[in-house]
């Protein structure tokens, strides 16, 4: 199976709910996938496929201890993976509910752009 992304950057979020929330923000130049959960690592074969297809792979899980710990595990296992943290509510979905899509987009775009532009 081959990966053929239309974009150069991949964002991995922790749930389908967060995937739909991020998609609703209409961010450009970004593919989004959801892990089955923060507690289950995505299969190595998938990560390795994505490594060859994307310039940047960014993991953004919940802004809580389990989410931060799960992101740390991805970074330890895959040195090329970057992590992003949205410092609003627990997750993207809650952040949109609490602050509105416009404010979340205003916070998230610079966070992701910084990660994308990191060497």
């Amino acid at each position: 199976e081959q990966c053929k992304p239309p974009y150069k950057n991949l964002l991995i979020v922790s749930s389908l709910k967060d995937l739909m929330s991020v998609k609703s923000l209409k961010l450009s130049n970004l593919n989004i996938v959801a892990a089955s959960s923060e507690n289950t690592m995505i299969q190595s074969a998938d990560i390795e496929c994505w490594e060859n297809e994307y310039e940047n792979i960014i993991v953004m899980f919940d802004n809580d201890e389990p989410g931060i710990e799960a992101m740390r595990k991805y970074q330890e296992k895959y040195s090329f993976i970057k992590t992003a943290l949205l410092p609003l509510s627990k997750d993207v979905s809650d952040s949109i509910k609490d602050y509105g899509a416009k404010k979340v987009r205003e916070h998230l775009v610079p966070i992701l752009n910084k990660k994308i532009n990191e060497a």
Side-chain angles (χ1 to χ4, degrees), residues 30-98:
L30 191 67
N31 270 359
I32 310 159
V33 296
S36 54
S37 82
E38 288 177 342
N39 303 322
T40 309
M41 294 280 287
I42 293 173
Q43 292 184 0
S44 295
D46 290 332
I47 299 285
E48 288 160 13
C49 179
W50 295 335
E51 179 187 12
N52 294 325
E53 297 296 328
Y54 290 97
E55 289 179 15
N56 296 288
I57 299 175
I58 304 165
V59 176
M60 185 177 73
F61 288 163
D62 291 357
N63 185 15
D64 61 10
E65 194 49 49
I68 292 166
E69 181 58 30
M71 289 191 293
R72 194 174 299 124
K73 286 179 183 173
Y74 275 92
Q75 256 191 328
E76 286 171 5
K77 186 167 181 179
Y78 306 103
S79 60
F80 55 88
I81 285 184
K82 301 172 182 183
T83 61
L85 197 60
L86 181 64
L88 296 174
S89 300
K90 179 177 164 280
D91 58 26
V92 180
S93 173
D94 287 352
S95 296
I96 291 172
K97 185 174 68 187
D98 295 343

